[in-house]
Amino acid sequence: MYAIWKLCWSNLNNKKVQNSFMAIIIMLSALLLSTAILVINNTNQVYESMHAKVHGAHQILRLENGIHDPNQVQQWWAEQQGVAASEMMRYRYLSSLSHAGEEIPNVDLFMMDTPNGPFSVDQLLFVQGEERHAPKPGTVWIPTSLAYSKDIEVGDPIEFKTDKETFSLQVAALVVDISYCSPFATSGRIWLNGQDYSTHMASLQGNDMYMTGLRFDEYSQNHAYWESFEKFLGTPYLESVKDYESISSYYMIANQVISFIMGFLAVIMISVALHTLGFTISDGILSSYKTIGIIKSVGLSSRRVISAYVMQYTLLAMVSVIPGILLSYFFSNQIVSRSMAYLYTGGSEMKVHASAIAIGVGVAVIVIAVIFLTALLFSYKARGVEPAQAIRYGMSEKDSLRKSSRGSAWRKKLLKLDSLPMEMIIGLRGVTKNTGGSALIMLISALSTAVLVFGFLFVYSISSIHETIAKWGYDSADLSVRIDNPAKLSYEEFHKEVLLDQRVKNYSRYGDANGVLPINKGLAGEPEQDTLGILLTVAEGNYDEIGYENMKGRNPISSLEISIGVNVASSLDLKVGDLLDIYIAGEKHTLTVTGIYQAIANMSYTGRITADVIREVDPDYGATMNTIFINLQDGVSIDEFVNELHHKYGRAIWTASQATLVDEVFSQAVTILILPMSVMALLFIVITFVIIYSICRINMKKESRTYGIYKSIGMTSRQIRVSVTVGILVVSATGALIGVPLGFIGLPPLLNIILADYGIVEVPLIMKGGGITVMIPLSILTAGLGSWFASRSVQTTSPRILTVE
């Protein structure tokens, strides 16, 4: 055992730089893998623990169309064993909020008549402000998602605009409202005092709407309750339902994407590390061939020689994994803290739980076990070392003959390259002579470039999402206008004065509605009814002109047609041309599916219909369609047009450009993604440098005699270093060119797997040629620097090395 340990320690001590770099590779691999697992685990844990703490709703029923009796619905659910039902809370919609004199675009507000707390479901957690049973008159509570993203603080006045008046209330508290507090949310519940609700809301046109939250002891049993509930109603439930998957989805989506990318890259990095480890062991055996032969000739068995290599790299892995795991706790905490900031209540930072410690230990064991098996596999080459051949040739006799013949063949090829500069010829000779190392450099350069290109395209595509917004399920109109005061400005007046303006290219009026799809689950003759609620976009105009896209088919143009989201299509196994039964405003319609599209909104559980569908039931529906999407003629300034509208109509309308609306929703995504994506890019650059440095140092040591010869015939150290670097740059450039298409063709489909559940089956990426061009030289430059720094040993190489021969 002492002999094995001595040999192991000798290998560790004599190759400090090489072993240090191998340790860095192992550490970074463990860091990425552990971080990926910890992020998704802690995201789920933080959300689920908070959801349990506040008795979060599993489903939220909204009764907005008067189809069912709210009191009857609430009473039935309240009487069920195993279900907690909140009070039936009344509310009205508003879509206008101003803070510090500026109107906040793209918000949908549920103006709640706050019941006396504490709530049985969806309890509010107070982050700032005085905790009370209800807001004081003249004050409101607002969710942290709205407050943090818009820089609203306790004590600030905020203004709300209805079609009759503008009124101001003071923010008395910021609350965590878990069902309406997620990142990227454009809707939120504003909690009003009952007196303020009666003064400002109850007098508005239309009827009060109602909302109740349901929490199941066993959420998996909710379908059984719903079967009983619909039997009680005598019809399917025909109003809106927001379920747990939809409530939790936007808390999870950013970290799901980050974790998937990290995990995938960790697997790549570990694979590269293992390949590098195998190359290092194989090369170490070849470079120590004579030494191993001498050791075996004096009685040390092959098993013990193999054990020395296995022990060396297992010890290296054990030492390297620990700091990687520890760093992953810090890194994962940063990512989770950013993405779950709206649930932060001001207490202590996220702590590492026992499960997180178990994950760290598990990752460490896996990485160490894989390193152990890889070292064992590649070190088996030591069994083939024959002492006599090792002492005589320094390698096997077969390899000696191959080397000689390869050198002869190389000399013949070399004569054909005499037109190239000497440095390039020498560099290419080194590349072709060390094919294993060159292949590994090409591989790591390709992977590094692919990661850099994909990372850049993904972040750039999210930050510039307004360019592809139609592919995310939204419109791509130039601007959106909402008539907030129909008493002062009717749609007919707006149409005559604005929409018929020569600068307007086209326009379309929009609204929304809820649809309920019956699902037949049972066998023929044994029907078992269930329902699926979807959000409908309703258009009075042409969907295509405003930029709504479909992946298959087309948008609806008549009252008998509908286009549906991909998750609706997959849930009901529908194709273009199929008939679809749907309840809208309590009335059943049979529509033909004309298109299927992807949409991030509502996880693609959405549909598009024309206004004529609803007018068959409600002829006056158009009076409530006060949102108009407008495209302007080419060359017309959007900003000038918007300013003109504001100057002419003042507070009677609300107007925003499409870019402004998009930025409001997706700017948070950029903030959350930039840190982890930047760190991953940096890690791959470091890995590229470390591996190429390590490979080049190995090759430099093997070729030290050759470089001694070059020096003896008059070449300077700088010329030799330049020639080595040129060869590596050629190999790295080849790998980078391979990595570019891999980055924007090979990696995005893997991301589609994660986003498919959220309604995006083909991630829209923007091919930014300039950015891609910048990414390509990064891995090449890193490879060149690794080679240049590794070749510093040439400066100490003396021609007298030749006398060894």
Side-chain angles (χ1 to χ4, degrees):
M1 185 64 190
Y2 176 76
I4 297 174
W5 170 250
K6 194 70 176 176
L7 186 57
C8 170
W9 181 252
S10 175
N11 288 337
L12 287 170
N13 194 48
N14 293 335
K15 300 178 180 179
K16 294 185 182 70
V17 175
Q18 181 179 317
N19 289 321
S20 297
F21 282 157
M22 182 57 64
I24 291 173
I25 296 171
I26 297 171
M27 182 194 74
L28 295 179
S29 302
L31 168 64
L32 272 185
L33 183 60
S34 179
T35 300
I37 299 173
L38 285 172
V39 165
I40 192 60
N41 179 73
N42 280 304
T43 299
N44 291 333
Q45 202 167 56
V46 168
Y47 177 76
E48 290 171 2
S49 62
M50 181 64 75
H51 194 264
K53 179 179 179 179
V54 300
H55 296 131
H58 289 122
Q59 292 178 332
I60 295 179
L61 280 57
R62 299 205 304 266
L63 291 86
E64 301 173 341
N65 300 312
I67 300 173
H68 304 294
D69 182 347
N71 293 324
Q72 186 182 40
V73 169
Q74 196 278 338
Q75 183 178 357
W76 188 92
W77 282 105
E79 292 173 351
Q80 305 308 303
Q81 294 293 324
V83 182
S86 71
E87 292 187 36
M88 187 62 75
M89 300 172 287
R90 63 175 181 163
Y91 67 94
R92 292 292 186 98
Y93 276 122
L94 280 186
S95 53
S96 176
L97 171 64
S98 298
H99 173 246
E102 294 186 6
E103 186 165 5
I104 298 172
N106 204 29
V107 290
D108 295 312
L109 306 176
F110 299 91
M111 308 298 288
M112 310 296 299
D113 180 8
T114 308
N116 286 328
F119 300 166
S120 58
V121 177
D122 275 351
Q123 297 172 5
L124 302 178
L125 293 181
F126 286 75
V127 179
Q128 296 179 28
E130 181 185 0
E131 183 172 352
R132 300 173 51 87
H133 291 298
K136 292 180 180 180
T139 67
V140 292
W141 301 337
I142 66 173
T144 52
S145 55
L146 180 63
Y148 293 166
S149 61
K150 306 299 184 290
D151 295 324
I152 303 174
E153 299 181 355
V154 170
D156 288 356
I158 52 178
E159 288 187 347
F160 302 93
K161 183 168 63 174
T162 70
D163 57 0
K164 293 185 176 181
E165 63 172 341
T166 297
F167 62 95
S168 176
L169 298 173
Q170 187 179 54
V171 177
L174 308 184
V175 296
V176 172
D177 183 4
I178 195 165
S179 292
Y180 287 92
C181 216
S182 62
F184 321 121
T186 59
S187 60
R189 294 193 284 202
I190 306 296
W191 301 92
L192 285 75
N193 177 272
Q195 179 180 326
D196 292 325
Y197 184 90
S198 298
T199 301
H200 302 296
M201 296 288 107
S203 61
L204 298 180
Q205 291 182 352
N207 300 317
D208 285 332
M209 304 173 189
Y210 295 88
M211 178 187 303
T212 186
L214 307 178
R215 180 175 176 83
F216 299 87
D217 291 348
E218 294 292 338
Y219 179 56
S220 59
Q221 302 300 316
N222 76 87
H223 286 291
Y225 286 102
W226 274 90
E227 289 174 21
S228 300
F229 176 54
E230 293 187 339
K231 287 180 181 178
F232 165 76
L233 292 177
T235 66
Y237 175 76
L238 301 177
E239 294 274 15
S240 173
V241 181
K242 185 177 182 181
D243 58 23
Y244 179 77
E245 290 74 19
S246 176
I247 293 171
S248 62
S249 62
Y250 286 115
Y251 287 103
M252 305 296 178
I253 184 170
N255 287 350
Q256 289 265 9
V257 171
I258 292 170
S259 297
F260 177 79
I261 294 174
M262 271 192 175
F264 176 71
L265 297 186
V267 170
I268 292 178
M269 193 176 288
I270 290 173
S271 301
V272 171
L274 295 178
H275 194 80
T276 306
L277 176 62
F279 173 81
T280 303
I281 293 174
S282 299
D283 195 85
I285 291 173
L286 290 175
S287 62
S288 303
Y289 207 90
K290 184 175 290 187
T291 304
I292 295 172
I294 294 172
I295 292 174
K296 293 180 75 172
S297 69
V298 297
L300 197 67
S301 66
S302 297
R303 180 179 297 178
R304 292 190 175 186
V305 175
I306 292 170
S307 298
Y309 282 102
V310 172
M311 180 184 293
Q312 172 188 345
Y313 289 104
T314 302
L315 287 173
L316 207 60
M318 293 173 68
V319 172
S320 308
V321 163
I322 295 173
I325 299 297
L326 294 177
L327 285 172
S328 72
Y329 289 136
F330 169 77
F331 193 31
S332 61
N333 281 352
Q334 293 297 313
I335 295 173
V336 173
S337 296
R338 284 170 175 263
S339 61
M340 307 295 281
Y342 298 154
L343 297 184
Y344 181 60
T345 58
S348 59
E349 292 289 336
M350 186 185 72
K351 296 180 180 179
V352 176
H353 300 278
S355 61
I357 296 174
I359 288 171
V361 173
V363 170
V365 170
I366 291 172
V367 173
I368 292 171
V370 171
I371 296 293
F372 171 84
L373 293 174
T374 303
L376 182 63
L377 176 65
F378 283 92
S379 62
Y380 253 75
K381 291 185 177 182
R383 293 176 64 91
V385 176
E386 296 293 340
Q389 294 181 8
I391 295 170
R392 181 176 180 181
Y393 300 111
M395 61 187 73
S396 68
E397 186 175 2
K398 183 178 180 181
D399 287 339
S400 178
L401 291 173
R402 186 185 298 116
K403 183 179 179 182
S404 300
S405 62
R406 185 174 58 193
S408 177
W410 168 252
R411 280 191 292 271
K412 292 178 182 178
K413 294 177 182 178
L414 186 62
L415 294 175
K416 299 179 182 180
L417 300 175
D418 56 357
S419 60
L420 295 176
M422 184 195 312
E423 287 81 2
M424 182 168 286
I425 294 174
I426 293 174
L428 293 177
R429 179 186 185 281
V431 166
T432 56
K433 187 175 182 180
N434 300 290
T435 53
S438 299
L440 184 54
I441 291 172
M442 187 180 297
L443 173 64
I444 187 61
S445 296
L447 292 175
S448 178
T449 303
V451 169
L452 291 172
V453 167
F454 172 68
F456 166 78
L457 288 179
F458 183 63
V459 174
Y460 179 80
S461 297
I462 297 298
S463 62
S464 304
I465 201 169
H466 56 276
E467 296 182 26
T468 58
I469 195 63
K471 298 184 184 301
W472 293 84
Y474 296 95
D475 70 280
S476 59
D478 289 337
L479 66 145
S480 174
V481 178
R482 184 183 68 238
I483 300 174
D484 285 335
N485 195 336
K488 292 185 177 180
L489 177 67
S490 67
Y491 172 74
E492 288 71 20
E493 292 173 320
F494 185 80
H495 178 270
K496 180 179 179 181
E497 297 174 11
V498 176
L499 300 182
L500 297 182
D501 191 304
Q502 292 183 350
R503 292 172 294 174
V504 175
K505 183 178 182 180
N506 52 59
Y507 64 90
S508 186
R509 191 156 59 142
Y510 282 83
D512 57 59
N514 293 315
V516 177
L517 306 174
I519 305 173
N520 293 314
K521 287 186 170 183
L523 299 174
E526 299 180 11
E528 180 187 340
Q529 281 286 78
D530 201 350
T531 57
L532 174 66
I534 66 172
L535 180 65
L536 296 172
T537 299
V538 185
E540 183 183 72
N542 192 307
Y543 276 105
D544 295 329
E545 288 181 349
I546 305 302
Y548 282 102
E549 294 187 3
N550 290 274
M551 299 181 68
K552 298 178 181 178
R554 59 172 175 81
N555 286 309
I557 56 176
S558 78
S559 62
L560 299 176
E561 298 176 340
I562 185 173
S563 181
I564 56 177
V566 290
N567 279 341
V568 176
S570 62
S571 297
L572 303 181
D573 193 23
L574 292 171
K575 303 182 296 296
V576 173
D578 290 348
L579 295 179
L580 172 66
D581 290 333
I582 182 170
Y583 288 89
I584 305 173
E587 294 293 326
K588 184 178 180 180
H589 301 261
T590 300
L591 306 177
T592 300
V593 177
T594 61
I596 297 173
Y597 61 89
Q598 62 177 11
I600 193 72
N602 214 46
M603 299 173 67
S604 238
Y605 288 102
T606 54
R608 299 169 184 162
I609 58 173
T610 63
D612 293 336
V613 178
I614 299 185
R615 286 202 180 101
E616 292 179 359
V617 180
D618 181 6
D620 297 326
Y621 176 77
T624 63
M625 298 176 68
N626 291 324
T627 299
I628 305 102
F629 293 156
I630 299 174
N631 280 320
L632 301 178
Q633 298 287 356
D634 295 340
V636 177
S637 171
I638 297 174
D639 291 337
E640 289 182 7
F641 193 86
V642 168
N643 290 334
E644 183 180 319
L645 293 180
H646 283 163
H647 179 74
K648 185 174 183 179
Y649 297 108
R651 301 177 71 89
I653 65 170
W654 170 88
T655 306
S657 67
Q658 182 251 18
T660 301
L661 298 176
V662 171
D663 289 342
E664 279 293 316
V665 178
F666 291 98
S667 59
Q668 299 172 51
V670 178
T671 303
I672 293 171
L673 289 171
I674 280 179
L675 174 63
M677 295 298 288
S678 299
V679 171
M680 283 186 279
L682 179 61
L683 289 182
F684 254 84
I685 290 174
V686 171
I687 284 289
T688 301
F689 176 85
V690 167
I691 292 178
I692 292 175
Y693 181 96
S694 181
I695 293 171
C696 288
R697 268 191 73 91
I698 292 172
N699 290 339
M700 296 298 295
K701 186 174 181 180
K702 288 165 58 177
E703 299 296 319
S704 59
R705 290 187 179 88
T706 304
Y707 299 137
I709 294 173
Y710 292 156
K711 277 194 164 187
S712 69
I713 61 175
M715 285 187 72
T716 64
S717 297
R718 181 179 178 81
Q719 286 178 307
I720 296 172
R721 294 180 71 187
V722 168
S723 65
V724 172
T725 303
V726 166
I728 297 302
L729 287 175
V730 171
V731 174
S732 179
T734 305
L737 293 176
I738 296 172
V740 171
L742 179 62
F744 61 77
I745 296 176
L747 296 184
L750 299 175
L751 188 59
N752 295 340
I753 297 172
I754 289 296
L755 290 180
D757 289 339
Y758 297 95
I760 299 296
V761 295
E762 294 180 6
V763 179
L765 294 179
I766 301 174
M767 295 298 140
K768 183 70 173 178
I772 294 174
T773 303
V774 171
M775 292 298 109
I776 296 174
L778 280 179
S779 60
I780 300 174
L781 179 61
T782 303
L785 289 174
S787 173
W788 180 258
F789 280 100
S791 64
R792 286 184 301 175
S793 59
V794 172
Q795 295 175 338
T796 62
T797 303
S798 170
R800 287 180 296 174
I801 292 175
L802 297 173
T803 60
V804 175
E805 293 295 324

Short mmCIF file of all heavy atoms in Angstrom, two decimals, residues 503-527:
data_model
loop_
_atom_site.label_atom_id
_atom_site.label_comp_id
_atom_site.label_asym_id
_atom_site.label_seq_id
_atom_site.Cartn_x
_atom_site.Cartn_y
_atom_site.Cartn_z
N ARG A 503 -53.04 58.43 -41.83
CA ARG A 503 -51.82 57.84 -41.26
C ARG A 503 -52.06 56.45 -40.69
O ARG A 503 -51.11 55.71 -40.43
CB ARG A 503 -51.26 58.76 -40.17
CG ARG A 503 -50.72 60.08 -40.67
CD ARG A 503 -50.38 61.00 -39.53
NE ARG A 503 -51.57 61.40 -38.77
CZ ARG A 503 -51.54 62.12 -37.65
NH1 ARG A 503 -50.37 62.50 -37.15
NH2 ARG A 503 -52.67 62.45 -37.04
N VAL A 504 -53.32 56.08 -40.48
CA VAL A 504 -53.66 54.76 -39.92
C VAL A 504 -53.74 53.75 -41.06
O VAL A 504 -54.51 53.91 -42.01
CB VAL A 504 -54.99 54.81 -39.15
CG1 VAL A 504 -55.40 53.41 -38.70
CG2 VAL A 504 -54.88 55.75 -37.96
N LYS A 505 -52.91 52.73 -40.95
CA LYS A 505 -52.88 51.69 -41.98
C LYS A 505 -54.03 50.71 -41.82
O LYS A 505 -54.73 50.39 -42.77
CB LYS A 505 -51.54 50.96 -41.89
CG LYS A 505 -51.33 49.89 -42.95
CD LYS A 505 -49.94 49.27 -42.80
CE LYS A 505 -49.68 48.24 -43.88
NZ LYS A 505 -48.32 47.63 -43.71
N ASN A 506 -54.23 50.21 -40.61
CA ASN A 506 -55.35 49.33 -40.30
C ASN A 506 -55.57 49.32 -38.79
O ASN A 506 -54.71 49.77 -38.03
CB ASN A 506 -55.16 47.91 -40.84
CG ASN A 506 -53.83 47.31 -40.43
OD1 ASN A 506 -53.54 47.17 -39.23
ND2 ASN A 506 -53.01 46.94 -41.41
N TYR A 507 -56.68 48.77 -38.36
CA TYR A 507 -57.01 48.73 -36.93
C TYR A 507 -57.95 47.58 -36.67
O TYR A 507 -58.56 47.01 -37.59
CB TYR A 507 -57.66 50.05 -36.48
CG TYR A 507 -58.98 50.33 -37.14
CD1 TYR A 507 -60.18 49.90 -36.57
CD2 TYR A 507 -59.04 51.01 -38.36
CE1 TYR A 507 -61.39 50.11 -37.19
CE2 TYR A 507 -60.25 51.24 -38.99
CZ TYR A 507 -61.43 50.79 -38.41
OH TYR A 507 -62.64 51.00 -39.03
N SER A 508 -58.10 47.23 -35.40
CA SER A 508 -59.04 46.20 -35.01
C SER A 508 -59.42 46.42 -33.56
O SER A 508 -58.58 46.80 -32.74
CB SER A 508 -58.42 44.81 -35.19
OG SER A 508 -59.37 43.80 -34.94
N ARG A 509 -60.69 46.19 -33.24
CA ARG A 509 -61.18 46.38 -31.88
C ARG A 509 -61.22 45.03 -31.17
O ARG A 509 -61.60 44.02 -31.76
CB ARG A 509 -62.57 47.03 -31.91
CG ARG A 509 -63.04 47.50 -30.55
CD ARG A 509 -64.08 48.60 -30.65
NE ARG A 509 -65.27 48.22 -31.38
CZ ARG A 509 -66.51 48.60 -31.04
NH1 ARG A 509 -66.70 49.35 -29.97
NH2 ARG A 509 -67.53 48.25 -31.78
N TYR A 510 -60.81 45.03 -29.89
CA TYR A 510 -60.67 43.77 -29.18
C TYR A 510 -61.35 43.79 -27.82
O TYR A 510 -61.51 44.84 -27.19
CB TYR A 510 -59.18 43.43 -28.97
CG TYR A 510 -58.55 42.89 -30.23
CD1 TYR A 510 -58.09 43.76 -31.21
CD2 TYR A 510 -58.46 41.53 -30.45
CE1 TYR A 510 -57.53 43.29 -32.38
CE2 TYR A 510 -57.91 41.04 -31.63
CZ TYR A 510 -57.45 41.92 -32.58
OH TYR A 510 -56.92 41.43 -33.74
N GLY A 511 -61.75 42.60 -27.41
CA GLY A 511 -62.26 42.35 -26.07
C GLY A 511 -61.85 40.96 -25.63
O GLY A 511 -61.01 40.31 -26.27
N ASP A 512 -62.41 40.48 -24.55
CA ASP A 512 -62.11 39.12 -24.12
C ASP A 512 -63.35 38.50 -23.51
O ASP A 512 -64.33 39.18 -23.19
CB ASP A 512 -60.95 39.10 -23.12
CG ASP A 512 -61.19 39.97 -21.91
OD1 ASP A 512 -62.18 39.72 -21.19
OD2 ASP A 512 -60.40 40.90 -21.66
N ALA A 513 -63.29 37.21 -23.36
CA ALA A 513 -64.39 36.45 -22.78
C ALA A 513 -63.84 35.14 -22.25
O ALA A 513 -62.70 34.76 -22.54
CB ALA A 513 -65.48 36.19 -23.83
N ASN A 514 -64.65 34.47 -21.45
CA ASN A 514 -64.27 33.15 -20.95
C ASN A 514 -65.02 32.08 -21.72
O ASN A 514 -66.21 32.22 -22.02
CB ASN A 514 -64.60 33.02 -19.46
CG ASN A 514 -63.74 33.93 -18.60
OD1 ASN A 514 -62.52 34.00 -18.79
ND2 ASN A 514 -64.36 34.65 -17.68
N GLY A 515 -64.31 31.02 -22.04
CA GLY A 515 -64.93 29.88 -22.70
C GLY A 515 -64.77 28.63 -21.86
O GLY A 515 -63.79 28.48 -21.14
N VAL A 516 -65.73 27.74 -21.93
CA VAL A 516 -65.69 26.47 -21.19
C VAL A 516 -65.86 25.34 -22.19
O VAL A 516 -66.82 25.31 -22.96
CB VAL A 516 -66.78 26.41 -20.10
CG1 VAL A 516 -66.74 25.05 -19.41
CG2 VAL A 516 -66.58 27.53 -19.10
N LEU A 517 -64.89 24.42 -22.18
CA LEU A 517 -64.91 23.29 -23.10
C LEU A 517 -65.30 22.03 -22.35
O LEU A 517 -64.63 21.66 -21.37
CB LEU A 517 -63.54 23.10 -23.74
CG LEU A 517 -62.93 24.33 -24.42
CD1 LEU A 517 -61.51 24.02 -24.88
CD2 LEU A 517 -63.78 24.74 -25.60
N PRO A 518 -66.35 21.35 -22.77
CA PRO A 518 -66.67 20.06 -22.15
C PRO A 518 -65.69 18.98 -22.63
O PRO A 518 -65.33 18.95 -23.81
CB PRO A 518 -68.09 19.78 -22.63
CG PRO A 518 -68.22 20.56 -23.90
CD PRO A 518 -67.33 21.76 -23.77
N ILE A 519 -65.26 18.14 -21.72
CA ILE A 519 -64.31 17.07 -22.05
C ILE A 519 -64.98 15.73 -21.79
O ILE A 519 -65.40 15.45 -20.67
CB ILE A 519 -63.02 17.16 -21.21
CG1 ILE A 519 -62.39 18.54 -21.37
CG2 ILE A 519 -62.04 16.07 -21.58
CD1 ILE A 519 -61.21 18.77 -20.46
N ASN A 520 -65.09 14.91 -22.81
CA ASN A 520 -65.64 13.58 -22.64
C ASN A 520 -64.53 12.61 -22.31
O ASN A 520 -63.69 12.31 -23.14
CB ASN A 520 -66.36 13.13 -23.93
CG ASN A 520 -67.60 13.97 -24.19
OD1 ASN A 520 -68.38 14.20 -23.28
ND2 ASN A 520 -67.75 14.44 -25.42
N LYS A 521 -64.55 12.10 -21.08
CA LYS A 521 -63.48 11.21 -20.64
C LYS A 521 -63.89 9.74 -20.67
O LYS A 521 -63.04 8.86 -20.69
CB LYS A 521 -63.06 11.57 -19.21
CG LYS A 521 -62.26 12.85 -19.11
CD LYS A 521 -61.77 13.02 -17.70
CE LYS A 521 -60.77 14.16 -17.61
NZ LYS A 521 -60.23 14.29 -16.23
N GLY A 522 -65.19 9.49 -20.57
CA GLY A 522 -65.62 8.11 -20.40
C GLY A 522 -65.67 7.35 -21.71
O GLY A 522 -65.47 7.87 -22.79
N LEU A 523 -65.98 6.07 -21.61
CA LEU A 523 -66.14 5.23 -22.78
C LEU A 523 -67.51 5.50 -23.39
O LEU A 523 -68.39 6.12 -22.77
CB LEU A 523 -66.01 3.76 -22.40
CG LEU A 523 -64.65 3.36 -21.81
CD1 LEU A 523 -64.72 1.90 -21.33
CD2 LEU A 523 -63.53 3.54 -22.81
N ALA A 524 -67.70 5.02 -24.59
CA ALA A 524 -68.99 5.20 -25.26
C ALA A 524 -70.09 4.59 -24.40
O ALA A 524 -69.99 3.45 -23.95
CB ALA A 524 -68.95 4.55 -26.64
N GLY A 525 -71.17 5.31 -24.19
CA GLY A 525 -72.26 4.81 -23.36
C GLY A 525 -72.07 5.08 -21.89
O GLY A 525 -72.99 4.90 -21.10
N GLU A 526 -70.86 5.50 -21.48
CA GLU A 526 -70.59 5.82 -20.08
C GLU A 526 -69.89 7.17 -19.99
O GLU A 526 -68.73 7.28 -19.63
CB GLU A 526 -69.71 4.74 -19.44
CG GLU A 526 -70.35 3.36 -19.44
CD GLU A 526 -69.43 2.34 -18.80
OE1 GLU A 526 -68.42 2.74 -18.20
OE2 GLU A 526 -69.72 1.15 -18.90
N PRO A 527 -70.61 8.23 -20.37
CA PRO A 527 -69.97 9.55 -20.39
C PRO A 527 -69.60 10.02 -18.99
O PRO A 527 -70.34 9.81 -18.04
CB PRO A 527 -71.03 10.45 -21.02
CG PRO A 527 -72.34 9.76 -20.71
CD PRO A 527 -72.03 8.30 -20.72
#
